[in-house]
Amino acid sequence: MIELQQVSKLFPNDETGQVVQALQDIDLSIGENEFVCLLGPSGCGKSTLLNLVAGFERPTSGRVIFDGEHVRQPGPDRGVVFQEPTLFPWLTVEQNVAFGLRNLQVEASERKRIVSHFISLVGLDSFARARPHQLSGGMKQRVALARVLALDPGALLMDEPFGALDAQTRDRLQDELLRVWEIHRKTVLFVTHNVEEAVYLADRVTVLAPAPDSITADVPISIPRPRDRFSPEVREATIALLRVLANLPCCVLPSQAERPGQTVSLPGG
Amino acid sequence: MSTSPGKADFSLPPAGAAAAPVLRAARQRQSLSGALIAVASVAIPLAIWWGVAVLVTHMRGVPFPTPLDTYRRLVALLQGKLLVDFTIYRHLGDSLRRWAIGFSLAVGLGIVSGLLFGWSRLLERLSMPAVTVLQLIPGLAWIPVGILLFGISERTTVFMIAATALAPIVINTTAGVKGVSELLLRAAKMMGADGRTLFLRVLLPGSLPHLLSGIRVGFANGWRVLVAGEMVVGTATGLGYSMIQARWNLDYAGAFVCIAIICIIGLIVERGLLLPLERRTIDRWGLARTT
């Protein structure tokens, strides 16, 4: 479904004139309806990788293939949930969810049906007419999820979608994501730096290290669903992954970690 | 939940109940003083005007109209007395029409170019210096340009209004478009938005708060220059024209009526229409105020 072949991404830094290597020679393959978590420390190129699949950026070299075709631009077949909700503040919840459907020229009555289905799927029926600023962070992310699910994309690309939420809300939303995913099966690429989250959600956890190490581990999580986040199996798998991460070099200086893309600078890398 | 009752009860209701009358009294005092200030803000300038009128009339022996004179003349004009050959309604209507045409041109052109300049860095770099200069040109400086382009006609006035209202609208719309988050654009593209959708459904609403403040400034510019334009370009009707003509008939009260109407209409449009529109947009979207 998603296929990365020898993908590298360089970012020129205009200020210093240096070139920053975000990704180097990444090979990754994600099967249909597979739930893959991309795990790694902050600023090691996880978001860059997701942006390449989403089509927001083009690889410097290598190929990104989705559903048998080269990724050239963003599109509704790859629904993205960002870390920030990025809802349109001037539209109501309903209108936000309907935005993509209008672009796809879905007929009005059908659009209405789809919108209300997905709004109630994420439990926001009573907020359909609210505007984003009236919602909590967790509710906004639910809307962000509903609006891409409404487009029935082949894949969901989620870029630390729950990273900015408090722990309790995050757990709730993880459960809801899994519940929704059981109903509407999709290929999911889920970027996170939270090991427990990765283990709880994923069929497979891929650990990304700073370039040039690229993918250092690819661990199937075979714990049967529905999972119990407090079970010994989940804890065991979490610890195993934490050990893998502990051996990775720390990606960047803290000041650089804030700036996406400006990840690792390697002499002669 | 079994928290110990002694700790859980912070006796908030009694405190709140006791505070309520105090708060109410404070609020009443506040609204009273607010009303007093509002009245004073009108009464004090009127009193100064009156004082100056009386003083000037006595010292210089010229009939400087007092607020009362002006009010009486206004009533007479509203009842249909002619001012410089026409009724006040005709003058007002003509002025409003000229303003509406010029201002609409400026709004239309300003929004379209602002969207384009905000969208394309190249266009912005090519055009912004000119727009900045445009903003610095005083309204009256357009008179020779307008007369050369359109002759002594109403179109010159319309041109002057459009020319002075344009720059702030362009500048603010451009800033508004540039302020639309890159992530919102990505989200829109991810949901299949084409170029037209991006413009109309993302960039335009996204820049609306800025755009509205640009329109407010543009309105004030255009309204001011309308009067000046009518004064200089002999349009035979209009508030500005009759203001300047009234003095030949020594109808200074008539001229003052024109000034008053200009102020009142400006105030109504700015405070009654544009500012509430801007506030409402900002509040409804939950955006932080930009100014």
mmCIF file of all heavy atoms in Angstrom, chain A residues 134-180:
data_model
loop_
_atom_site.group_PDB
_atom_site.id
_atom_site.type_symbol
_atom_site.label_atom_id
_atom_site.label_comp_id
_atom_site.label_asym_id
_atom_site.label_seq_id
_atom_site.Cartn_x
_atom_site.Cartn_y
_atom_site.Cartn_z
ATOM 1 N N GLN A 134 -14.620 26.684 20.348
ATOM 2 C CA GLN A 134 -15.461 26.323 21.484
ATOM 3 C C GLN A 134 -15.178 24.896 21.970
ATOM 4 O O GLN A 134 -15.782 24.447 22.935
ATOM 5 C CB GLN A 134 -16.935 26.443 21.087
ATOM 6 C CG GLN A 134 -17.324 27.880 20.762
ATOM 7 C CD GLN A 134 -18.636 27.967 20.012
ATOM 8 O OE1 GLN A 134 -18.819 27.309 18.992
ATOM 9 N NE2 GLN A 134 -19.556 28.767 20.521
ATOM 10 N N LEU A 135 -14.265 24.197 21.294
ATOM 11 C CA LEU A 135 -13.995 22.805 21.632
ATOM 12 C C LEU A 135 -12.687 22.663 22.397
ATOM 13 O O LEU A 135 -11.795 23.493 22.272
ATOM 14 C CB LEU A 135 -13.901 21.959 20.349
ATOM 15 C CG LEU A 135 -15.057 22.045 19.351
ATOM 16 C CD1 LEU A 135 -14.751 21.161 18.153
ATOM 17 C CD2 LEU A 135 -16.359 21.633 19.998
ATOM 18 N N SER A 136 -12.587 21.577 23.165
ATOM 19 C CA SER A 136 -11.328 21.269 23.840
ATOM 20 C C SER A 136 -10.353 20.663 22.827
ATOM 21 O O SER A 136 -10.748 20.294 21.718
ATOM 22 C CB SER A 136 -11.581 20.271 24.955
ATOM 23 O OG SER A 136 -11.904 19.019 24.397
ATOM 24 N N GLY A 137 -9.100 20.534 23.245
ATOM 25 C CA GLY A 137 -8.080 19.983 22.357
ATOM 26 C C GLY A 137 -8.444 18.589 21.862
ATOM 27 O O GLY A 137 -8.299 18.282 20.679
ATOM 28 N N GLY A 138 -8.946 17.749 22.769
ATOM 29 C CA GLY A 138 -9.300 16.384 22.390
ATOM 30 C C GLY A 138 -10.459 16.350 21.401
ATOM 31 O O GLY A 138 -10.476 15.565 20.455
ATOM 32 N N MET A 139 -11.435 17.248 21.631
ATOM 33 C CA MET A 139 -12.585 17.300 20.722
ATOM 34 C C MET A 139 -12.155 17.767 19.340
ATOM 35 O O MET A 139 -12.635 17.265 18.317
ATOM 36 C CB MET A 139 -13.660 18.236 21.288
ATOM 37 C CG MET A 139 -14.371 17.666 22.501
ATOM 38 S SD MET A 139 -15.051 18.997 23.519
ATOM 39 C CE MET A 139 -16.657 19.157 22.836
ATOM 40 N N LYS A 140 -11.248 18.725 19.304
ATOM 41 C CA LYS A 140 -10.774 19.209 18.005
ATOM 42 C C LYS A 140 -10.107 18.079 17.225
ATOM 43 O O LYS A 140 -10.318 17.944 16.010
ATOM 44 C CB LYS A 140 -9.755 20.336 18.205
ATOM 45 C CG LYS A 140 -10.383 21.663 18.553
ATOM 46 C CD LYS A 140 -9.317 22.725 18.623
ATOM 47 C CE LYS A 140 -9.740 23.810 19.581
ATOM 48 N NZ LYS A 140 -8.660 24.705 19.951
ATOM 49 N N GLN A 141 -9.296 17.265 17.937
ATOM 50 C CA GLN A 141 -8.632 16.168 17.229
ATOM 51 C C GLN A 141 -9.636 15.138 16.738
ATOM 52 O O GLN A 141 -9.434 14.501 15.717
ATOM 53 C CB GLN A 141 -7.570 15.499 18.099
ATOM 54 C CG GLN A 141 -6.240 16.245 18.180
ATOM 55 C CD GLN A 141 -5.589 16.498 16.828
ATOM 56 O OE1 GLN A 141 -6.244 16.874 15.848
ATOM 57 N NE2 GLN A 141 -4.292 16.342 16.752
ATOM 58 N N ARG A 142 -10.741 14.984 17.460
ATOM 59 C CA ARG A 142 -11.791 14.083 16.975
ATOM 60 C C ARG A 142 -12.375 14.606 15.677
ATOM 61 O O ARG A 142 -12.652 13.840 14.760
ATOM 62 C CB ARG A 142 -12.907 13.972 18.002
ATOM 63 C CG ARG A 142 -12.521 13.072 19.120
ATOM 64 C CD ARG A 142 -13.611 12.988 20.121
ATOM 65 N NE ARG A 142 -12.994 12.569 21.367
ATOM 66 C CZ ARG A 142 -13.627 12.467 22.500
ATOM 67 N NH1 ARG A 142 -14.891 12.769 22.569
ATOM 68 N NH2 ARG A 142 -12.988 12.063 23.568
ATOM 69 N N VAL A 143 -12.585 15.914 15.621
ATOM 70 C CA VAL A 143 -13.107 16.503 14.385
ATOM 71 C C VAL A 143 -12.095 16.291 13.259
ATOM 72 O O VAL A 143 -12.456 15.925 12.135
ATOM 73 C CB VAL A 143 -13.395 18.009 14.557
ATOM 74 C CG1 VAL A 143 -13.908 18.600 13.254
ATOM 75 C CG2 VAL A 143 -14.395 18.244 15.673
ATOM 76 N N ALA A 144 -10.804 16.495 13.586
ATOM 77 C CA ALA A 144 -9.758 16.325 12.581
ATOM 78 C C ALA A 144 -9.750 14.892 12.050
ATOM 79 O O ALA A 144 -9.508 14.657 10.865
ATOM 80 C CB ALA A 144 -8.396 16.687 13.168
ATOM 81 N N LEU A 145 -10.046 13.942 12.939
ATOM 82 C CA LEU A 145 -10.109 12.538 12.513
ATOM 83 C C LEU A 145 -11.362 12.302 11.658
ATOM 84 O O LEU A 145 -11.299 11.692 10.591
ATOM 85 C CB LEU A 145 -10.116 11.634 13.753
ATOM 86 C CG LEU A 145 -10.165 10.132 13.508
ATOM 87 C CD1 LEU A 145 -8.922 9.677 12.744
ATOM 88 C CD2 LEU A 145 -10.265 9.375 14.830
ATOM 89 N N ALA A 146 -12.481 12.849 12.134
ATOM 90 C CA ALA A 146 -13.743 12.645 11.409
ATOM 91 C C ALA A 146 -13.668 13.215 9.991
ATOM 92 O O ALA A 146 -14.163 12.620 9.045
ATOM 93 C CB ALA A 146 -14.902 13.298 12.176
ATOM 94 N N ARG A 147 -13.027 14.365 9.854
ATOM 95 C CA ARG A 147 -13.051 14.999 8.530
ATOM 96 C C ARG A 147 -12.226 14.220 7.500
ATOM 97 O O ARG A 147 -12.511 14.311 6.309
ATOM 98 C CB ARG A 147 -12.562 16.454 8.617
ATOM 99 C CG ARG A 147 -11.072 16.613 8.785
ATOM 100 C CD ARG A 147 -10.621 18.043 8.612
ATOM 101 N NE ARG A 147 -9.207 18.133 8.943
ATOM 102 C CZ ARG A 147 -8.524 19.259 9.020
ATOM 103 N NH1 ARG A 147 -9.140 20.400 8.809
ATOM 104 N NH2 ARG A 147 -7.256 19.247 9.320
ATOM 105 N N VAL A 148 -11.190 13.496 7.965
ATOM 106 C CA VAL A 148 -10.469 12.681 6.975
ATOM 107 C C VAL A 148 -11.140 11.327 6.776
ATOM 108 O O VAL A 148 -11.182 10.818 5.662
ATOM 109 C CB VAL A 148 -8.963 12.511 7.299
ATOM 110 C CG1 VAL A 148 -8.239 13.813 7.112
ATOM 111 C CG2 VAL A 148 -8.735 11.934 8.657
ATOM 112 N N LEU A 149 -11.716 10.766 7.833
ATOM 113 C CA LEU A 149 -12.429 9.494 7.667
ATOM 114 C C LEU A 149 -13.588 9.658 6.692
ATOM 115 O O LEU A 149 -13.897 8.755 5.915
ATOM 116 C CB LEU A 149 -12.950 8.999 9.021
ATOM 117 C CG LEU A 149 -11.909 8.438 9.982
ATOM 118 C CD1 LEU A 149 -12.544 8.132 11.325
ATOM 119 C CD2 LEU A 149 -11.251 7.191 9.409
ATOM 120 N N ALA A 150 -14.207 10.836 6.724
ATOM 121 C CA ALA A 150 -15.354 11.097 5.847
ATOM 122 C C ALA A 150 -14.971 10.976 4.374
ATOM 123 O O ALA A 150 -15.818 10.719 3.526
ATOM 124 C CB ALA A 150 -15.922 12.483 6.126
ATOM 125 N N LEU A 151 -13.687 11.170 4.074
ATOM 126 C CA LEU A 151 -13.240 11.097 2.683
ATOM 127 C C LEU A 151 -12.946 9.655 2.259
ATOM 128 O O LEU A 151 -12.580 9.412 1.121
ATOM 129 C CB LEU A 151 -11.974 11.940 2.504
ATOM 130 C CG LEU A 151 -12.129 13.411 2.871
ATOM 131 C CD1 LEU A 151 -10.806 14.134 2.732
ATOM 132 C CD2 LEU A 151 -13.184 14.058 2.008
ATOM 133 N N ASP A 152 -13.094 8.719 3.195
ATOM 134 C CA ASP A 152 -12.800 7.318 2.961
ATOM 135 C C ASP A 152 -11.443 7.137 2.281
ATOM 136 O O ASP A 152 -11.347 6.576 1.185
ATOM 137 C CB ASP A 152 -13.904 6.687 2.097
ATOM 138 C CG ASP A 152 -13.777 5.170 2.079
ATOM 139 O OD1 ASP A 152 -13.156 4.619 3.007
ATOM 140 O OD2 ASP A 152 -14.265 4.543 1.115
ATOM 141 N N PRO A 153 -10.385 7.615 2.944
ATOM 142 C CA PRO A 153 -9.065 7.529 2.319
ATOM 143 C C PRO A 153 -8.525 6.103 2.368
ATOM 144 O O PRO A 153 -8.972 5.314 3.190
ATOM 145 C CB PRO A 153 -8.212 8.446 3.204
ATOM 146 C CG PRO A 153 -8.856 8.388 4.541
ATOM 147 C CD PRO A 153 -10.334 8.158 4.304
ATOM 148 N N GLY A 154 -7.598 5.796 1.475
ATOM 149 C CA GLY A 154 -6.956 4.495 1.528
ATOM 150 C C GLY A 154 -6.082 4.382 2.762
ATOM 151 O O GLY A 154 -5.966 3.314 3.355
ATOM 152 N N ALA A 155 -5.465 5.480 3.145
ATOM 153 C CA ALA A 155 -4.568 5.446 4.297
ATOM 154 C C ALA A 155 -4.798 6.648 5.193
ATOM 155 O O ALA A 155 -5.195 7.715 4.731
ATOM 156 C CB ALA A 155 -3.111 5.435 3.826
ATOM 157 N N LEU A 156 -4.545 6.416 6.469
ATOM 158 C CA LEU A 156 -4.559 7.502 7.446
ATOM 159 C C LEU A 156 -3.120 7.777 7.832
ATOM 160 O O LEU A 156 -2.389 6.867 8.218
ATOM 161 C CB LEU A 156 -5.301 7.069 8.708
ATOM 162 C CG LEU A 156 -6.792 7.284 8.823
ATOM 163 C CD1 LEU A 156 -7.242 6.817 10.198
ATOM 164 C CD2 LEU A 156 -7.115 8.746 8.637
ATOM 165 N N LEU A 157 -2.708 9.024 7.699
ATOM 166 C CA LEU A 157 -1.361 9.400 8.103
ATOM 167 C C LEU A 157 -1.500 10.287 9.326
ATOM 168 O O LEU A 157 -2.095 11.370 9.253
ATOM 169 C CB LEU A 157 -0.664 10.150 6.974
ATOM 170 C CG LEU A 157 -0.693 9.462 5.612
ATOM 171 C CD1 LEU A 157 -0.076 10.349 4.537
ATOM 172 C CD2 LEU A 157 0.032 8.124 5.672
ATOM 173 N N MET A 158 -0.989 9.833 10.454
ATOM 174 C CA MET A 158 -1.213 10.569 11.687
ATOM 175 C C MET A 158 0.122 11.004 12.280
ATOM 176 O O MET A 158 0.964 10.178 12.610
ATOM 177 C CB MET A 158 -2.017 9.714 12.669
ATOM 178 C CG MET A 158 -3.288 9.153 12.019
ATOM 179 S SD MET A 158 -4.355 8.224 13.133
ATOM 180 C CE MET A 158 -5.143 9.529 14.041
ATOM 181 N N ASP A 159 0.293 12.306 12.390
ATOM 182 C CA ASP A 159 1.575 12.871 12.814
ATOM 183 C C ASP A 159 1.501 13.313 14.275
ATOM 184 O O ASP A 159 1.121 14.437 14.558
ATOM 185 C CB ASP A 159 1.920 14.065 11.911
ATOM 186 C CG ASP A 159 3.340 14.541 12.135
ATOM 187 O OD1 ASP A 159 4.047 13.951 12.974
ATOM 188 O OD2 ASP A 159 3.742 15.523 11.469
ATOM 189 N N GLU A 160 1.846 12.423 15.182
ATOM 190 C CA GLU A 160 1.729 12.674 16.622
ATOM 191 C C GLU A 160 0.401 13.342 16.963
ATOM 192 O O GLU A 160 0.368 14.402 17.588
ATOM 193 C CB GLU A 160 2.893 13.560 17.114
ATOM 194 C CG GLU A 160 4.244 12.940 16.813
ATOM 195 C CD GLU A 160 5.360 13.581 17.619
ATOM 196 O OE1 GLU A 160 5.106 13.972 18.768
ATOM 197 O OE2 GLU A 160 6.483 13.679 17.098
ATOM 198 N N PRO A 161 -0.705 12.729 16.548
ATOM 199 C CA PRO A 161 -1.994 13.422 16.671
ATOM 200 C C PRO A 161 -2.408 13.670 18.110
ATOM 201 O O PRO A 161 -3.166 14.590 18.381
ATOM 202 C CB PRO A 161 -2.977 12.471 15.985
ATOM 203 C CG PRO A 161 -2.340 11.130 16.098
ATOM 204 C CD PRO A 161 -0.865 11.374 16.012
ATOM 205 N N PHE A 162 -1.908 12.849 19.034
ATOM 206 C CA PHE A 162 -2.346 13.014 20.417
ATOM 207 C C PHE A 162 -1.227 13.599 21.279
ATOM 208 O O PHE A 162 -1.326 13.637 22.506
ATOM 209 C CB PHE A 162 -2.809 11.670 21.003
ATOM 210 C CG PHE A 162 -3.804 10.950 20.119
ATOM 211 C CD1 PHE A 162 -3.774 9.569 19.998
ATOM 212 C CD2 PHE A 162 -4.752 11.667 19.399
ATOM 213 C CE1 PHE A 162 -4.691 8.908 19.181
ATOM 214 C CE2 PHE A 162 -5.666 11.014 18.580
ATOM 215 C CZ PHE A 162 -5.630 9.635 18.469
ATOM 216 N N GLY A 163 -0.158 14.025 20.624
ATOM 217 C CA GLY A 163 1.037 14.477 21.344
ATOM 218 C C GLY A 163 0.799 15.700 22.214
ATOM 219 O O GLY A 163 1.451 15.877 23.233
ATOM 220 N N ALA A 164 -0.155 16.544 21.805
ATOM 221 C CA ALA A 164 -0.354 17.786 22.540
ATOM 222 C C ALA A 164 -1.455 17.663 23.596
ATOM 223 O O ALA A 164 -1.824 18.644 24.222
ATOM 224 C CB ALA A 164 -0.692 18.909 21.565
ATOM 225 N N LEU A 165 -1.961 16.439 23.786
ATOM 226 C CA LEU A 165 -3.089 16.264 24.721
ATOM 227 C C LEU A 165 -2.606 15.753 26.073
ATOM 228 O O LEU A 165 -1.531 15.163 26.177
ATOM 229 C CB LEU A 165 -4.090 15.268 24.128
ATOM 230 C CG LEU A 165 -4.628 15.608 22.737
ATOM 231 C CD1 LEU A 165 -5.508 14.485 22.225
ATOM 232 C CD2 LEU A 165 -5.398 16.919 22.769
ATOM 233 N N ASP A 166 -3.418 15.959 27.094
ATOM 234 C CA ASP A 166 -3.068 15.410 28.401
ATOM 235 C C ASP A 166 -3.225 13.893 28.371
ATOM 236 O O ASP A 166 -3.910 13.336 27.517
ATOM 237 C CB ASP A 166 -3.938 16.038 29.497
ATOM 238 C CG ASP A 166 -5.408 15.748 29.281
ATOM 239 O OD1 ASP A 166 -5.865 14.673 29.731
ATOM 240 O OD2 ASP A 166 -6.082 16.565 28.648
ATOM 241 N N ALA A 167 -2.584 13.222 29.327
ATOM 242 C CA ALA A 167 -2.462 11.767 29.283
ATOM 243 C C ALA A 167 -3.823 11.073 29.237
ATOM 244 O O ALA A 167 -4.035 10.132 28.481
ATOM 245 C CB ALA A 167 -1.672 11.284 30.493
ATOM 246 N N GLN A 168 -4.769 11.578 30.024
ATOM 247 C CA GLN A 168 -6.074 10.927 30.102
ATOM 248 C C GLN A 168 -6.823 11.041 28.775
ATOM 249 O O GLN A 168 -7.364 10.057 28.267
ATOM 250 C CB GLN A 168 -6.861 11.602 31.211
ATOM 251 C CG GLN A 168 -7.994 10.763 31.725
ATOM 252 C CD GLN A 168 -8.815 11.537 32.730
ATOM 253 O OE1 GLN A 168 -8.376 12.557 33.254
ATOM 254 N NE2 GLN A 168 -10.016 11.065 32.987
ATOM 255 N N THR A 169 -6.836 12.239 28.216
ATOM 256 C CA THR A 169 -7.488 12.456 26.924
ATOM 257 C C THR A 169 -6.821 11.609 25.852
ATOM 258 O O THR A 169 -7.477 11.037 24.978
ATOM 259 C CB THR A 169 -7.407 13.939 26.535
ATOM 260 O OG1 THR A 169 -7.846 14.724 27.625
ATOM 261 C CG2 THR A 169 -8.251 14.239 25.323
ATOM 262 N N ARG A 170 -5.485 11.533 25.941
ATOM 263 C CA ARG A 170 -4.756 10.760 24.938
ATOM 264 C C ARG A 170 -5.195 9.297 24.966
ATOM 265 O O ARG A 170 -5.500 8.710 23.930
ATOM 266 C CB ARG A 170 -3.252 10.876 25.216
ATOM 267 C CG ARG A 170 -2.394 10.276 24.129
ATOM 268 C CD ARG A 170 -0.952 10.638 24.341
ATOM 269 N NE ARG A 170 -0.451 10.137 25.601
ATOM 270 C CZ ARG A 170 0.305 10.839 26.435
ATOM 271 N NH1 ARG A 170 0.667 12.058 26.125
ATOM 272 N NH2 ARG A 170 0.718 10.313 27.573
ATOM 273 N N ASP A 171 -5.297 8.721 26.175
ATOM 274 C CA ASP A 171 -5.722 7.322 26.289
ATOM 275 C C ASP A 171 -7.115 7.127 25.698
ATOM 276 O O ASP A 171 -7.370 6.180 24.964
ATOM 277 C CB ASP A 171 -5.716 6.888 27.759
ATOM 278 C CG ASP A 171 -4.291 6.720 28.286
ATOM 279 O OD1 ASP A 171 -3.351 6.910 27.487
ATOM 280 O OD2 ASP A 171 -4.128 6.402 29.467
ATOM 281 N N ARG A 172 -8.011 8.041 26.021
ATOM 282 C CA ARG A 172 -9.385 7.948 25.491
ATOM 283 C C ARG A 172 -9.379 7.967 23.970
ATOM 284 O O ARG A 172 -10.058 7.186 23.318
ATOM 285 C CB ARG A 172 -10.244 9.110 25.996
ATOM 286 C CG ARG A 172 -10.606 9.063 27.455
ATOM 287 C CD ARG A 172 -11.949 8.355 27.723
ATOM 288 N NE ARG A 172 -12.948 8.488 26.684
ATOM 289 C CZ ARG A 172 -13.949 9.357 26.724
ATOM 290 N NH1 ARG A 172 -14.064 10.169 27.733
ATOM 291 N NH2 ARG A 172 -14.833 9.388 25.748
ATOM 292 N N LEU A 173 -8.591 8.887 23.423
ATOM 293 C CA LEU A 173 -8.579 9.019 21.970
ATOM 294 C C LEU A 173 -7.924 7.822 21.290
ATOM 295 O O LEU A 173 -8.337 7.419 20.202
ATOM 296 C CB LEU A 173 -7.896 10.319 21.563
ATOM 297 C CG LEU A 173 -8.819 11.542 21.682
ATOM 298 C CD1 LEU A 173 -8.079 12.818 21.395
ATOM 299 C CD2 LEU A 173 -10.002 11.421 20.738
ATOM 300 N N GLN A 174 -6.921 7.250 21.956
ATOM 301 C CA GLN A 174 -6.330 6.021 21.407
ATOM 302 C C GLN A 174 -7.394 4.929 21.307
ATOM 303 O O GLN A 174 -7.522 4.261 20.277
ATOM 304 C CB GLN A 174 -5.184 5.535 22.297
ATOM 305 C CG GLN A 174 -3.927 6.380 22.211
ATOM 306 C CD GLN A 174 -2.967 6.058 23.337
ATOM 307 O OE1 GLN A 174 -3.237 5.218 24.195
ATOM 308 N NE2 GLN A 174 -1.835 6.745 23.350
ATOM 309 N N ASP A 175 -8.165 4.785 22.388
ATOM 310 C CA ASP A 175 -9.226 3.771 22.383
ATOM 311 C C ASP A 175 -10.221 4.055 21.261
ATOM 312 O O ASP A 175 -10.663 3.143 20.561
ATOM 313 C CB ASP A 175 -9.960 3.763 23.737
ATOM 314 C CG ASP A 175 -9.055 3.265 24.854
ATOM 315 O OD1 ASP A 175 -8.051 2.591 24.536
ATOM 316 O OD2 ASP A 175 -9.340 3.561 26.023
ATOM 317 N N GLU A 176 -10.572 5.319 21.118
ATOM 318 C CA GLU A 176 -11.550 5.662 20.084
ATOM 319 C C GLU A 176 -11.000 5.421 18.689
ATOM 320 O O GLU A 176 -11.715 4.950 17.803
ATOM 321 C CB GLU A 176 -11.981 7.115 20.225
ATOM 322 C CG GLU A 176 -12.916 7.295 21.385
ATOM 323 C CD GLU A 176 -13.661 8.596 21.321
ATOM 324 O OE1 GLU A 176 -13.890 9.083 20.190
ATOM 325 O OE2 GLU A 176 -13.991 9.129 22.382
ATOM 326 N N LEU A 177 -9.722 5.754 18.514
ATOM 327 C CA LEU A 177 -9.114 5.519 17.207
ATOM 328 C C LEU A 177 -9.192 4.038 16.859
ATOM 329 O O LEU A 177 -9.563 3.670 15.739
ATOM 330 C CB LEU A 177 -7.661 6.003 17.216
ATOM 331 C CG LEU A 177 -6.858 5.682 15.959
ATOM 332 C CD1 LEU A 177 -7.449 6.375 14.734
ATOM 333 C CD2 LEU A 177 -5.398 6.087 16.130
ATOM 334 N N LEU A 178 -8.861 3.174 17.845
ATOM 335 C CA LEU A 178 -8.901 1.734 17.583
ATOM 336 C C LEU A 178 -10.325 1.276 17.300
ATOM 337 O O LEU A 178 -10.563 0.472 16.396
ATOM 338 C CB LEU A 178 -8.326 0.955 18.778
ATOM 339 C CG LEU A 178 -6.813 1.065 18.941
ATOM 340 C CD1 LEU A 178 -6.348 0.280 20.158
ATOM 341 C CD2 LEU A 178 -6.090 0.561 17.691
ATOM 342 N N ARG A 179 -11.270 1.817 18.054
ATOM 343 C CA ARG A 179 -12.674 1.446 17.840
ATOM 344 C C ARG A 179 -13.111 1.823 16.418
ATOM 345 O O ARG A 179 -13.705 1.022 15.696
ATOM 346 C CB ARG A 179 -13.540 2.190 18.874
ATOM 347 C CG ARG A 179 -15.026 1.896 18.760
ATOM 348 C CD ARG A 179 -15.799 2.597 19.872
ATOM 349 N NE ARG A 179 -15.697 4.045 19.855
ATOM 350 C CZ ARG A 179 -16.391 4.838 19.038
ATOM 351 N NH1 ARG A 179 -17.236 4.314 18.176
ATOM 352 N NH2 ARG A 179 -16.229 6.136 19.075
ATOM 353 N N VAL A 180 -12.769 3.036 16.025
ATOM 354 C CA VAL A 180 -13.131 3.520 14.685
ATOM 355 C C VAL A 180 -12.416 2.689 13.616
ATOM 356 O O VAL A 180 -12.982 2.333 12.585
ATOM 357 C CB VAL A 180 -12.780 5.014 14.551
ATOM 358 C CG1 VAL A 180 -12.888 5.461 13.100
ATOM 359 C CG2 VAL A 180 -13.685 5.857 15.437
#
